Amino acid sequence: MQAQEIQLQPNQLQTTHQIDQKDPTNHPSPMDTSNLSPPSRQTCTVPKPISTTKSSSNKLKLIPLIFLIYFEVSGGPYGAEQSIQAIGPLYAIIGFFIFPFLWGVPESLVTAELATALPGNGGFVVWADRAFGPFFGSLMGTWKYLSCVINIGAYPPMCADYISRAYPPAAAGPGRSVAISITVVLLCLLNYIGLSVVGWGAVVLAVVTLAPFVLITVLAMRRLQPKRWMVQVEKKDWRLFLNTLFWNLNCWDSASTMAGEVEQPEKTFPKGLAIAVVICSVSYFLPVMASTGAIDSPPEAWVNGYFADVADMVGGDWLKYWIQAGAVLSSIGLYEAQLSSGAFQLLGMADLGLLPSVFAVRAPKFDTPWVGILLSCIITLTISFLPFEDIVATANILYSLGMLLEFATFLWLRLKYPDLKRPYRVPLGIPGLIVMYLFPSVLLGYVIAVASRRVFLLSAVLTAFGIAVHYLMRYCRSRGLLKFTDNEGLEDEQTEQERIVLGDEEEINGVV
């Protein structure tokens, strides 16, 4: 995305270089404010990309974007069963009705505003860089990228588990290793073929995986008895309940890393996010409400995969097998969507100069960032063979830290660049935004606070690793050891004024 060429207003802040050109002998005193403009007249630009999509056919349109967001966030109500087990049917129903509004909508609003104001690849990394400088842009990239690849590392073993039901040798030993490795390689090749292919593939996968839950809901409604929702759990596990909601309904900002690949992002992103919020919310709320009201199973029976048993009870074996097959297909959709997000995040970081420019190299035919895809697949394949309890909790902490920084970035950009052209603008002032993000921030703090010491230590080590990588990249850049773009973010030695242009004052207000 090319930086907008916009003329400066007469009172716009001038750089020292510009002042010296006018009059080399004129050096204003520190008390001279004649050349200063109000902060409200300043805004920022998107980094110029190293490489861009060659064909408009590879651009993401509205429908593929909707379902890429859907798989970034949800992939269907698989895994929602534990919320019922933790706290009972009624609270689970209420949770899946309210949580999307308290968590999903605020996160979506951040994404809608900033992805349209700064529609470049890299998404939240670009936002943090423009708000606080390259150190925080790099730190954001570390937290979000590691949480992404750790998350997607769970999906190949899940696919292997389902494959083992049809092919028992895949359950353990060399057979399982082969199944996981083949799954990762095939999914990475699919991602390499092109983002548009992944997007339309997500549409097909969403239809196939959501259809059985539509049938479960319709069939269960015929047997619905509201009194079944009142069954209580003797010892409520609020921690498991909130973690389940959080796990199933986060990552609304992930698609922002591909904003530079979206056709007319200023129009497409807000619409895509709004529709995805509705689809994700309904896909949890209705099946949970209908299923718990249609059968007499106690809450402790609702383990992961129990929707397949519900399908058998209300529809028969054919619906049960469809749910089981849908779980595999959903895992594929989740893997593909999040792998694309991670690879394009690395591309965006290369555009910013935070990583070497090799990460922005695109495949000759398919326009995909193949270096980022390859690195993500190698990391994913390694993680797929590791014990996953602590590593998943670590991913949650890293993601939570990234989201806290993202909320701070959003508020600071509002204060720092109020005249930045925002095709979509959240229709609230700073006090209203602070109130809206109070609950999400408390939730993120809770996710961090309940982690074990071991998880805290692992998160600290990974954070330190990310900081070390940032300073290593700075060293390599200064010594010319690696090739970087010239678009690096707010360097310490580069003045703020040299990066500022004036934004268009026209804004289109709306609500996601």
Side-chain angles (χ1 to χ4, degrees):
M1 181 65 65
Q2 297 286 344
Q4 298 175 1
E5 297 292 337
I6 302 173
Q7 292 184 347
L8 301 179
Q9 296 294 324
N11 67 337
Q12 178 63 22
L13 188 62
Q14 297 173 313
T15 67
T16 303
H17 177 67
Q18 290 171 325
I19 295 171
D20 290 345
Q21 281 185 327
K22 289 183 177 181
D23 184 357
T25 64
N26 180 20
H27 295 283
S29 71
M31 299 302 294
D32 184 3
T33 60
S34 60
N35 288 321
L36 296 180
S37 65
S40 63
R41 305 302 300 166
Q42 301 177 4
T43 144
C44 54
T45 61
V46 181
K48 182 180 179 181
I50 297 173
S51 60
T52 57
T53 300
K54 299 181 181 68
S55 172
S56 60
S57 63
N58 290 328
K59 287 284 189 179
L60 277 177
K61 297 176 174 59
L62 178 61
I63 299 300
L65 177 64
I66 290 170
F67 289 99
L68 274 176
I69 295 172
Y70 167 77
F71 277 110
E72 295 275 11
V73 174
S74 167
Y78 306 98
E81 297 96 335
Q82 284 191 316
S83 64
I84 302 168
Q85 182 188 65
I87 208 161
L90 181 61
Y91 287 108
I93 294 168
I94 294 172
F96 280 112
F97 180 77
I98 294 178
F99 195 79
F101 295 98
L102 294 179
W103 170 256
V105 170
E107 189 178 1
S108 298
L109 290 173
V110 170
T111 305
E113 178 168 320
L114 294 182
T116 56
L118 299 169
N121 290 324
F124 36 72
V125 179
V126 177
W127 311 339
D129 174 89
R130 291 316 192 231
F132 301 118
F135 174 81
F136 286 99
S138 180
L139 188 60
M140 174 76 85
T142 295
W143 285 336
K144 290 297 190 78
Y145 179 73
L146 289 177
S147 68
C148 173
V149 292
I150 290 171
N151 277 333
I152 62 179
Y155 304 130
M158 190 182 302
C159 289
D161 289 339
Y162 282 98
I163 291 171
S164 67
R165 298 188 181 187
Y167 182 67
R176 181 175 179 82
S177 298
V178 170
I180 290 175
S181 300
I182 291 176
T183 299
V184 170
V185 170
L186 290 177
L187 294 179
C188 289
L189 287 175
L190 177 60
N191 210 274
Y192 175 83
I193 291 174
L195 186 58
S196 181
V197 173
V198 173
W200 285 108
V203 175
V204 175
L205 290 174
V207 171
V208 174
T209 56
L210 279 176
F213 286 99
V214 173
L215 293 174
I216 285 178
T217 301
V218 172
L219 294 171
M221 285 294 188
R222 300 176 181 177
R223 308 167 51 169
L224 193 68
Q225 294 184 23
K227 66 180 182 180
R228 293 180 172 130
W229 296 333
M230 308 308 295
V231 176
Q232 298 295 313
V233 175
E234 289 186 8
K235 187 177 181 181
K236 293 179 173 61
D237 190 341
W238 291 99
R239 177 179 175 179
L240 176 61
F241 173 65
L242 289 174
N243 278 336
T244 302
L245 291 178
F246 183 72
W247 178 265
N248 281 277
L249 289 166
N250 63 11
C251 296
W252 292 98
D253 61 337
S254 293
S256 70
T257 63
M258 302 176 282
E261 311 300 305
V262 175
E263 187 177 77
Q264 295 184 309
E266 68 280 357
K267 297 180 180 179
T268 306
F269 244 103
K271 291 179 182 177
L273 283 163
I275 297 171
V277 166
V278 174
I279 293 175
C280 290
S281 302
V282 171
S283 70
Y284 283 102
F285 173 72
L286 289 181
V288 169
M289 179 189 69
S291 298
T292 54
I295 60 175
D296 290 316
S297 298
E300 56 267 22
W302 286 83
V303 296
N304 281 336
Y306 194 70
F307 269 121
D309 296 318
V310 175
D312 190 19
M313 296 177 198
V314 301
D317 287 343
W318 64 275
L319 190 54
K320 175 182 178 179
Y321 297 141
W322 193 351
I323 289 287
Q324 291 174 337
V328 177
L329 296 176
S330 176
S331 297
I332 292 173
L334 288 160
Y335 186 95
E336 289 298 307
Q338 295 180 26
L339 177 61
S340 295
S341 175
F344 276 98
Q345 178 192 321
L346 297 181
L347 183 149
M349 293 178 72
D351 285 344
L352 282 167
L354 297 175
L355 290 177
S357 56
V358 66
F359 284 96
V361 175
R362 294 177 183 256
K365 185 177 180 180
F366 303 112
D367 288 337
T368 47
W370 68 269
V371 177
I373 293 173
L374 179 61
L375 177 63
S376 300
C377 288
I378 292 172
I379 297 174
T380 298
L381 186 60
T382 303
I383 291 174
S384 296
F385 295 103
L386 297 178
F388 229 74
E389 291 78 9
D390 285 344
I391 205 79
V392 168
T394 303
N396 281 342
I397 285 188
L398 296 176
Y399 175 80
S400 298
L401 291 170
M403 282 309 306
L404 288 172
L405 177 56
E406 188 172 315
F407 290 153
T409 294
F410 177 70
L411 295 173
W412 187 244
L413 285 174
R414 272 290 190 94
L415 290 169
K416 188 177 182 181
Y417 303 122
D419 284 338
L420 173 65
K421 181 181 178 181
R422 293 171 168 88
Y424 173 84
R425 182 185 179 97
V426 180
L428 292 173
I430 295 298
L433 293 173
I434 291 174
V435 172
M436 183 172 68
Y437 292 115
L438 184 60
F439 172 80
S441 299
V442 170
L443 175 64
L444 293 169
Y446 172 81
V447 171
I448 296 171
V450 298
S452 65
R453 291 184 179 179
R454 182 176 176 180
V455 169
F456 269 122
L457 178 61
L458 184 55
S459 301
V461 169
L462 292 175
T463 299
F465 170 77
I467 294 172
V469 168
H470 171 68
Y471 284 105
L472 176 62
M473 293 299 101
R474 288 176 64 94
Y475 177 80
C476 290
R477 182 187 182 104
S478 65
R479 301 298 185 195
L481 301 178
L482 294 171
K483 184 179 178 181
F484 291 83
T485 182
D486 293 329
N487 291 325
E488 188 173 12
L490 297 170
E491 289 291 333
D492 294 337
E493 67 273 10
Q494 184 180 23
T495 63
E496 179 100 3
Q497 296 93 330
E498 291 174 325
R499 296 171 49 84
I500 293 173
V501 298
L502 187 66
D504 195 314
E505 295 182 11
E506 294 181 358
E507 295 168 347
I508 302 173
N509 295 330
V511 180
V512 171

